[in-house]
Amino acid sequence: MDKVIEFIKAEPEAATVFAALLAIVGGFLGSLASGWVQALGGKAQASAAVEAARISAEAQRIASLHTDRRKEIAAFIYEARHAVNTGNRLFSPISPTEVSALQTAVQAAYRALTVKQAELEIIAPVEVVERASDLVGAVEDFLRMVSMRGAASRAFESLTQVRPGDSDHAASHQAYSALDALRTAYGEEDAEQQQRDRRTEAETALREVSSLDSSQALLLLDDARLPALVPLHHQMMGAFSSALRGLVISSRLVLRANDTQQD
């Protein structure tokens, strides 16, 4: 460096050339530094943009999942109610044609429910899936009762819906009492003779009810071996309502339905 300074002192013209050279080199280095700083800034901006896009996409995914879950849960609840309501109609007196149509409708409603259950199992949290399974179990129990005792229930409704003044009113009342006594006898142990006697009495009473045919009378006699249908029906409906309430509560927690927006 000392030799360079001595050369410049000895050759004044060289100082001008050297100064110009320094200016060129300084400008180049300055441009290089500026470009480097800009490059770093551009990279930071790009990273921030990527992160913002990721956050936005995640927010959209969560919002879409929330909407899908809400729709699937609501559709599942609808199908569960529809299956039970359709099955319930098979407990009331209807024509044979209506019975066949309703039985087909019940099967279709149950299939639709199981499809919605499968869709729910894919998209819903575990706690909702478990509550949905409980509800399907309650629906299955109810529909099983409909299948086993729906015909007897329709016969029983025909027996009990006779109004005072109708020709079958007295006979229907007597048959109802005889069936009640038969059910009580079937519930007692070591009462075979009493059971036979009560069944004979019930058979005789049912033959006097002109609104019932022989197949309906036989259904009522055999159904007397089972628990009384009316309280059992209420019990099944209560189990369904309880399972449905459990699913609704769990779903509202998952969907944060009770949250309030704060300013």
Side-chain angles (χ1 to χ4, degrees):
M1 186 64 184
D2 292 340
K3 291 181 178 181
V4 172
I5 293 174
E6 290 177 0
F7 174 77
I8 291 174
K9 287 180 179 179
E11 301 291 339
E13 295 82 358
T16 302
V17 176
F18 190 71
L21 182 61
L22 287 176
I24 292 171
V25 173
F28 173 76
L29 293 175
S31 297
L32 186 61
S34 176
W36 181 69
V37 170
Q38 289 179 354
L40 289 179
K43 185 177 181 181
Q45 289 179 349
S47 298
V50 170
E51 180 64 14
R54 186 192 67 78
I55 294 173
S56 177
E58 179 64 12
Q60 291 178 358
R61 186 191 70 81
I62 293 174
S64 178
L65 179 61
H66 183 278
T67 299
D68 291 343
R69 283 176 169 174
R70 176 175 55 80
K71 290 180 178 179
E72 290 298 333
I73 293 171
F76 175 81
I77 290 174
Y78 169 83
E79 294 296 348
R81 285 173 171 162
H82 178 61
V84 169
N85 290 338
T86 304
N88 248 330
R89 294 170 61 189
L90 283 165
F91 283 116
S92 301
I94 50 179
S95 69
T97 301
E98 290 176 306
V99 170
S100 179
L102 276 176
Q103 288 173 338
T104 300
V106 167
Q107 293 173 357
Y110 176 71
R111 285 195 298 271
L113 176 63
T114 57
V115 169
K116 287 302 176 183
Q117 181 187 20
E119 293 174 353
L120 206 62
E121 288 172 343
I122 295 174
I123 199 171
V126 174
E127 56 268 31
V128 173
V129 171
E130 291 176 348
R131 298 292 80 75
S133 179
D134 293 341
L135 184 58
V136 170
V139 172
E140 289 174 341
D141 289 342
F142 180 81
L143 296 183
R144 190 176 297 112
M145 180 183 67
V146 171
S147 177
M148 293 176 59
R149 306 188 66 182
S153 174
R154 293 190 293 274
F156 184 77
E157 287 293 320
S158 297
L159 180 68
T160 58
Q161 286 183 0
V162 177
R163 298 178 180 179
D166 291 347
S167 58
D168 268 347
H169 180 260
S172 296
H173 180 74
Q174 181 62 33
Y176 177 87
S177 299
L179 285 171
D180 189 50
L182 177 59
R183 175 169 280 109
T184 300
Y186 276 135
E188 297 177 356
E189 297 181 0
D190 301 325
E192 294 182 6
Q193 184 58 50
Q194 185 179 10
Q195 292 168 7
R196 286 194 292 269
D197 292 343
R198 297 294 84 79
R199 185 178 178 96
T200 299
E201 292 171 1
E203 288 173 346
T204 301
L206 286 169
R207 280 196 295 268
E208 299 299 319
V209 182
S210 60
S211 60
L212 297 177
D213 57 34
S214 59
S215 62
Q216 290 176 310
L218 183 59
L219 278 171
L220 291 172
L221 291 169
D222 290 341
D223 192 73
R225 297 177 180 274
L226 303 173
L229 185 55
V230 172
L232 180 62
H233 180 269
H234 290 163
Q235 177 184 338
M236 289 289 187
M237 287 300 297
F240 170 76
S241 298
S242 178
L244 178 59
R245 184 166 57 251
L247 174 61
V248 169
I249 292 173
S250 180
S251 299
R252 287 179 64 85
L253 289 174
V254 167
L255 298 174
R256 302 179 65 180
N258 295 325
D259 289 1
T260 56
Q261 186 166 349
Q262 298 179 351
D263 296 332

